[in-house]
Amino acid sequence: MARRKSKSNSKVQLEESTVLSNEFQCAANFSPSLATFVVVFSVYLRTVSPSIAGGDSGELLAEGCQLGTPHPPGYPLYMIITYAVSSIGNFFGSQSVALYMNITSCLFGALTCALVTSSVLIVTTKGISYYNRQEKPSFEDSPYCLCACSAMTMGFLCAFSPLMWQYSVTSEVFALNNFFVGLIMNLTLKIACYGDKGWIELGAFVCGLALTNQMTIILLEIPLIVWVFITCSVSKDIRVLQRTALFFLIGVVPMYFILVFCAIFYPHAGSWGEITTFEGFLAHLRRKDYGTFTLFSGNDANAEGLVERILFWAFDFSYQGGFIVFILCMIGCAVILVNRDDRHLPCSLKREDIHRLRVKSASRALAFSLIIYLVSFHSLSNLPLKNPLLFGVHQRFWMQPNILSFVMAGVGLTWTIQRFVPVCQKYQALVYGSMVVLTLWSLKRGFSISDQSTNEFFKNYAMGILDVLPPNSLLLINYDQQWTSIRYLQECEHFRDDVTSINLSMMTYPWWESKHKLYPHVKFPGSHYTQANSVQWNNGGFTFLEFIDSNYHSFDGRIFIGGDINFDKSHQEYYEEIPHGMSRHLMRKSEAKKMSADSFLRSSRRTWLALMKFHTRLPDSKMYPAETWEWTVTREFYSHLVARATYLLELVVSEERSNNVSGQLLALFESAVWMEYVKLNDVEHSLTPGLVKNLGLAYMHIVRSKTSTNFAEIENALKNPEMGGVDLLEGMSDLLPSHEEIDWKTWASRRWNLSWGEFLRMNGAEMDSSYASVKNIYNGVMQATGGEQIS
């Protein structure tokens, strides 16, 4: 009896010890992930963007604010999260939905990196056998510390990689997608560890839910689902299979049901597609408008092939984490896929050995998922990567394989150090110190590139466009960045929502006819926008000219265009496009002829005075290179400056002599100074033959002017007002005549000589239609004055 009691007590103590050991193990595995999350989330909060970013950010937030339908495939989960976050913000009296969603992205980004840490720790402590001297290392032993430090290092390197950081502090679907990648990866390893049906059902639900945010995640899910079915024998148990399929559908169906429900009962102007019919819903779900298995709907004849695209990824990942991380990733993949240490296991396996084999098998599934994604995605993607902006668009989809690669790199780091145990034990402090240095280097580099705490460029860009429009105007937009940023301001922050904005690209789809009723003040002369004399036009479509004619009087001529009109220019015979800030005012030519250079100078100056309040600072090209959307803001700003100066010059040249000679001269000077300003400040992109030719043309007309006005009076006129704090004459003192210089015509003649001489020597100038006449005039003057002629 005593013996039985003793055995019973021993059994209880053993069970208690096992429970305590498991609790300690869970705490030990959780602590590195928690530490990673806290540090990364703190850093992300410090650098979070206060407003919208480029790309689809503005459109997604705008649709989320009123549960609309964004571009295909719809992103219903992101819409619901945005609506919930915006509702919380409205409850507290804030309209800055972008800031709240950016903080939400920080949360998802930090959780992703914590899951990277957790996944590395599971693989290195439970899946890969490093330990030959002892059966199982204790938690006080250095091998566990090594695994934990390696895991945290890769979690931090993943967090501080520029691409990951950029999309973790701004609003986009990618931060949430990254979280799902980390979660599915981690759940796969948990299923390998425990094999419980509950984990399998949870994994199925998460896989379904993830598809309602970003569908490229299916390239990760398919290999892992196949692995679960084979390893856990799901297909052999019909009840488990049914429950797994049910949980997957529970993740997918309700989200899309809500999207369709809102489209039926709460339709909203500006939402994409017609998903209230079954056919329309399927077309939206499979991205029919863009191409089901393509990213780019434009000309992809010069797009790269599969191998070249994968090499692009490899070089980019070497930049994101550093070349050493790329090497460690290759080592980690080799260790997981090639290392066969399980061949030496005894015939009778212990429970720990079985778990280790399953975790290693799951690790192989992750490695295969990485390979399958790289091959599949780059086979389907058709974006030309030599275009910097399109490269940036494509680059966003590399975060998914990058997350897997950082896990592989964590395995490679731990294996490399363990491979050289004697050396590493001797220089243990150096090993851990190197990890710290690598993390700090990544943090310092990433901070200088990814700090978005002052990035309000797209908000200011949109406000500048809208603020200068007359009340109740019609704004037709054919440029993605204008549409997404303006739509956000109008829908979420209710800025200038009196302006009716319409996306011209959306108006070209046949489903646009279903949107007519959402624009009661707009007249549509047909079903949708198309070209004249086309099949669609004969079947009830309308041209741009027909649309403008139908709405010109109802909007009292207040119709504006943002972006270029691509394929239908039928309106240009009857309407003039007059520069108006960073858009163009459509005016009938009979009315435009009444506008003088002086009146345009004064009205456009007032417009730019108001607009410049929003552009006191432009994106820095070092922080925002050509791969970023912010880079386009600078390009558009300077292009509209040139458009205003060129149109002003055209008015002066074309209009007849008037009594306001000084007004004409002022317009010529202002046109020249604006072009000189652009030439001086945007040398890399705006210095074109056309700009330099027009600059010389302005100086030529200044020389021909018969007025005796001195330059001091012109300078005072140019600096009144000073363009909202930006003095266009600043930094141009070496180009302009001094106050004491009386013969300013000699100065203008010298500037003409330099400008047209530069134009005639520029690459591509021969393609200009006026090249021959400019050359004849220039050489004629040079011959008369004894100057150098252009051969």
Side-chain angles (χ1 to χ4, degrees), residues 58 141 412 466 471 535 635 668 727:
D141 288 338
L466 290 171
V535 174
R635 302 284 69 74
L668 286 169
D727 184 1

Side-chain angles (χ1 to χ4, degrees), residues 527-538:
S527 58
H528 63 289
Y529 168 38
T530 186
Q531 287 180 297
N533 302 317
S534 63
V535 174
Q536 293 188 9
W537 183 72
N538 289 324

Side-chain angles (χ1 to χ4, degrees), residues 493-783:
E493 299 193 7
H494 307 291
F495 180 81
R496 291 302 309 271
D497 49 10
D498 63 293
V499 174
T500 301
S501 57
I502 297 179
N503 188 320
L504 287 178
S505 296
M506 291 171 62
M507 203 160 62
T508 62
Y509 293 103
W511 49 255
W512 180 258
E513 188 174 9
S514 66
K515 306 291 183 181
H516 290 185
K517 60 183 179 293
L518 303 176
Y519 298 90
H521 305 298
V522 181
K523 298 176 182 178
F524 297 98
S527 58
H528 63 289
Y529 168 38
T530 186
Q531 287 180 297
N533 302 317
S534 63
V535 174
Q536 293 188 9
W537 183 72
N538 289 324
N539 291 334
F542 58 85
T543 65
F544 191 69
L545 175 61
E546 291 170 340
F547 178 79
I548 298 302
D549 284 340
S550 299
N551 291 278
Y552 194 80
H553 287 296
S554 58
F555 280 90
D556 197 20
R558 299 186 299 268
I559 301 180
F560 298 82
I561 303 176
D564 296 326
I565 306 300
N566 295 330
F567 61 86
D568 179 20
K569 301 182 183 294
S570 56
H571 68 289
Q572 292 182 347
E573 184 178 352
Y574 306 97
Y575 290 90
E576 188 83 16
E577 295 182 18
I578 300 173
H580 185 85
M582 296 181 75
S583 61
R584 301 185 306 286
H585 184 193
L586 273 177
M587 186 180 293
R588 283 184 173 159
K589 288 195 172 182
S590 58
E591 299 174 18
K593 288 179 180 178
K594 300 175 183 178
M595 178 179 291
S596 67
D598 185 61
S599 62
F600 175 74
L601 182 150
R602 298 181 187 281
S603 63
S604 61
R605 183 186 279 185
R606 286 193 298 270
T607 299
W608 275 91
L609 173 62
L611 187 149
M612 289 293 286
K613 293 185 298 184
F614 304 102
H615 290 280
T616 56
R617 187 174 68 94
L618 292 173
D620 182 6
S621 59
K622 293 181 180 178
M623 187 169 182
Y624 300 104
E627 294 85 3
T628 64
W629 294 108
E630 285 76 9
W631 178 85
T632 64
V633 173
T634 304
R635 302 284 69 74
E636 194 172 352
F637 174 82
Y638 283 119
S639 69
H640 284 288
L641 277 178
V642 173
R644 188 254 185 182
T646 303
Y647 191 80
L648 182 59
L649 176 61
E650 289 175 356
L651 286 176
V652 176
V653 172
S654 62
E655 72 181 5
E656 298 178 354
R657 276 194 177 282
S658 67
N659 295 326
N660 189 11
V661 178
S662 61
Q664 283 190 341
L665 184 61
L666 175 60
L668 286 169
F669 263 107
E670 183 149 327
S671 174
V673 168
W674 278 49
M675 284 188 279
E676 289 280 18
Y677 177 80
V678 173
K679 182 183 175 185
L680 184 68
N681 290 277
D682 195 35
V683 178
E684 186 176 353
H685 301 282
S686 295
L687 188 57
T688 61
L691 173 67
V692 180
K693 180 195 71 174
N694 289 331
L695 189 55
L697 185 64
Y699 285 127
M700 184 177 72
H701 282 272
I702 291 174
V703 173
R704 291 179 177 177
S705 175
K706 297 180 180 180
T707 183
S708 58
T709 305
N710 60 49
F711 184 77
E713 296 178 12
I714 297 292
E715 183 181 30
N716 291 334
L718 289 174
K719 297 178 70 172
N720 182 28
E722 292 185 335
M723 302 309 300
V726 178
D727 184 1
L728 292 179
L729 300 181
E730 183 181 359
M732 300 173 62
S733 57
D734 57 331
L735 303 179
L736 302 175
S738 63
H739 293 175
E740 296 79 16
E741 189 172 353
I742 299 175
D743 190 6
W744 52 270
K745 284 196 175 185
T746 302
W747 165 81
S749 177
R750 187 168 62 247
R751 296 301 306 167
W752 166 83
N753 186 355
L754 292 172
S755 298
W756 271 13
E758 182 180 357
F759 163 71
L760 293 171
R761 294 181 179 90
M762 291 181 75
N763 292 330
E766 298 87 349
M767 304 299 294
D768 193 291
S769 59
S770 58
Y771 178 83
S773 59
V774 170
K775 184 177 179 181
N776 289 335
I777 295 172
Y778 182 83
N779 284 340
V781 174
M782 292 299 102
Q783 185 178 7

Side-chain angles (χ1 to χ4, degrees), residues 153 246 276 359:
T153 299
L246 177 64
T276 60
V359 170

Side-chain angles (χ1 to χ4, degrees), residues 335-354:
V335 169
I336 289 172
L337 296 175
V338 179
N339 184 20
R340 303 291 297 173
D341 57 344
D342 48 318
R343 290 175 300 179
H344 305 293
L345 290 172
C347 296
S348 57
L349 296 179
K350 297 180 180 179
R351 187 175 180 181
E352 291 82 359
D353 294 326
I354 295 173

